[in-house]
Amino acid sequence: MSAADVRLLMISARYENGGNPTHRLLDGHPQMYVYPFESQLGTAAVRDHWASLYPLKYRWPQFALDADLAADFRSIIDEETRVRTRTPNVSKFRDWAFDMDDDERMALCVAEMEGLERRRPEIVAAFFRATFNAWKDLNRSGRESTYVGYSPVIGVDAETILAELPQAHVLQVVRNPWSAFAETRRRPVPLRLAHYLAGWVTVQQATLVARELYPDRVHILRYEDIVADPQGVLGEVCAKLGLEAADSLATPSWNGAPLAQVYPWGTIREPSTDANRRTGEELSAAERDEVTRLAGPYLEKFDYR
């Protein structure tokens, strides 16, 4: 199977904008292969004008010209999956069953590339196929047709992804920046307000202009709308992908098993309208005003005024 045949949905969202809850809401869909954790596809070879703003692991990968297929596989950072498979006792996901051997996954990835040209879209497609073939305790329906990955801010690479993978889609999740910034301050080492908002604005701009070029394959949703009606809002996106609006869209899950809270997949524990509002109210009046100033016209664009 070449990259041209691979159906991929990549979720993008600035930190704590609702990417993890959206990822977990899609998890139980019977027609989706949903990546177990963040699918951190970036490599150390990524070098461009966004490299100083976003971590390399969250970007579309670059591969060394003189590498081989095994080296290509190893260069993909994929930190959360690799920590869980190779050093499970230190993984934040250690309490969730996950049976995968990363070396076996590499062998499967190399085998998937047999007879194919060594190009980035082919390598990425082989990486996804190998991941789900190596996942031994994956809860399968037998109806899966679409791969789903989630990598924060990968929307900045939306135009590249969609040009290289003709059946790919990008889903950008946007959360009001007051709640999003208040949420990200719960991280052990939070970003400064100006740094956080620069990244928030940039990824929104990149996906908006990508949607102009690919209006049927770039989907932009507000986190507020998703938590208010997950099955209805995500069901509309599924319909655009030719998939059903499954009942599972109403409940976040891990490998098909319902989750009482989304944590530790991100800092959002309760994906709800009330929790979202309470989080935004944690900011001081001065902080709220500064967020408003830095978010600028995007507040009106997403109806946050």
Side-chain angles (χ1 to χ4, degrees), residues 104-168:
E104 179 186 1
R105 182 170 64 144
M106 180 175 69
L108 290 170
C109 185
V110 172
E112 288 281 352
M113 286 293 296
E114 184 176 353
L116 300 176
E117 184 180 355
R118 182 179 168 262
R119 301 184 307 123
R120 173 167 57 189
E122 304 292 357
I123 297 169
V124 171
F127 182 84
F128 272 93
R129 291 195 300 268
T131 295
F132 290 94
N133 287 335
W135 186 353
K136 293 182 175 60
D137 54 354
L138 172 63
N139 183 17
R140 300 174 184 266
S141 71
R143 300 171 54 210
E144 292 85 356
S145 64
T146 300
Y147 294 97
V148 179
Y150 164 51
S151 191
V153 308
I154 205 167
V156 297
D157 296 308
E159 290 190 25
T160 301
I161 296 168
L162 300 178
E164 294 186 346
L165 296 171
Q167 296 198 61

Side-chain angles (χ1 to χ4, degrees), residues 263-282:
Y263 183 84
W265 284 267
T267 63
I268 298 175
R269 292 177 180 266
E270 180 190 345
S272 72
T273 299
D274 288 343
N276 186 45
R277 178 172 292 277
R278 290 197 306 271
T279 301
E281 291 171 349
E282 295 173 5

Side-chain angles (χ1 to χ4, degrees), residues 38-42 57-58 76-80 150-151:
E38 288 182 352
S39 45
Q40 301 161 341
L41 302 172
K57 64 184 178 181
Y58 294 143
I76 295 175
I77 295 172
D78 199 28
E79 180 181 20
E80 290 189 345
Y150 164 51
S151 191

Side-chain angles (χ1 to χ4, degrees), residues 38-269:
E38 288 182 352
S39 45
Q40 301 161 341
L41 302 172
T43 66
V46 175
R47 290 289 183 270
D48 63 9
H49 51 297
W50 284 317
S52 63
L53 184 58
Y54 301 121
L56 302 183
K57 64 184 178 181
Y58 294 143
R59 300 292 308 285
W60 199 237
Q62 292 281 355
F63 298 104
L65 293 176
D66 60 348
D68 58 23
L69 293 172
D72 291 337
F73 174 86
R74 289 193 295 267
S75 71
I76 295 175
I77 295 172
D78 199 28
E79 180 181 20
E80 290 189 345
T81 306
R82 291 214 159 105
V83 170
R84 179 60 184 81
T85 56
R86 294 184 176 276
T87 55
N89 290 334
V90 300
S91 169
K92 63 183 180 180
F93 304 109
R94 58 186 173 272
D95 295 329
W96 282 267
F98 183 62
D99 188 358
M100 177 188 291
D101 183 291
D102 199 43
D103 291 329
E104 179 186 1
R105 182 170 64 144
M106 180 175 69
L108 290 170
C109 185
V110 172
E112 288 281 352
M113 286 293 296
E114 184 176 353
L116 300 176
E117 184 180 355
R118 182 179 168 262
R119 301 184 307 123
R120 173 167 57 189
E122 304 292 357
I123 297 169
V124 171
F127 182 84
F128 272 93
R129 291 195 300 268
T131 295
F132 290 94
N133 287 335
W135 186 353
K136 293 182 175 60
D137 54 354
L138 172 63
N139 183 17
R140 300 174 184 266
S141 71
R143 300 171 54 210
E144 292 85 356
S145 64
T146 300
Y147 294 97
V148 179
Y150 164 51
S151 191
V153 308
I154 205 167
V156 297
D157 296 308
E159 290 190 25
T160 301
I161 296 168
L162 300 178
E164 294 186 346
L165 296 171
Q167 296 198 61
H169 290 246
V170 171
L171 170 58
Q172 174 71 15
V173 181
V174 185
R175 185 185 188 187
N176 81 80
W178 304 280
S179 297
F181 176 66
E183 191 86 57
T184 200
R185 292 197 308 184
R186 295 170 181 168
R187 289 171 171 243
V189 185
L191 299 177
R192 294 181 300 105
L193 192 154
H195 185 171
Y196 181 82
L197 264 294
W200 188 90
V201 166
T202 299
V203 71
Q204 316 309 350
Q205 171 66 10
T207 50
L208 285 166
V209 298
R211 189 173 63 176
E212 292 292 324
L213 193 59
Y214 298 100
D216 298 327
R217 297 169 61 201
V218 176
H219 317 280
I220 301 178
L221 299 179
R222 301 193 320 167
Y223 171 72
E224 289 76 12
D225 299 327
I226 293 173
V227 297
D229 181 16
Q231 186 174 6
V233 173
L234 293 176
E236 291 182 6
V237 174
C238 289
K240 293 174 182 177
L241 273 68
L243 306 175
E244 64 190 50
D247 292 342
S248 63
L249 295 172
T251 306
S253 64
W254 155 251
N255 199 13
L259 290 170
Q261 60 179 11
V262 176
Y263 183 84
W265 284 267
T267 63
I268 298 175
R269 292 177 180 266

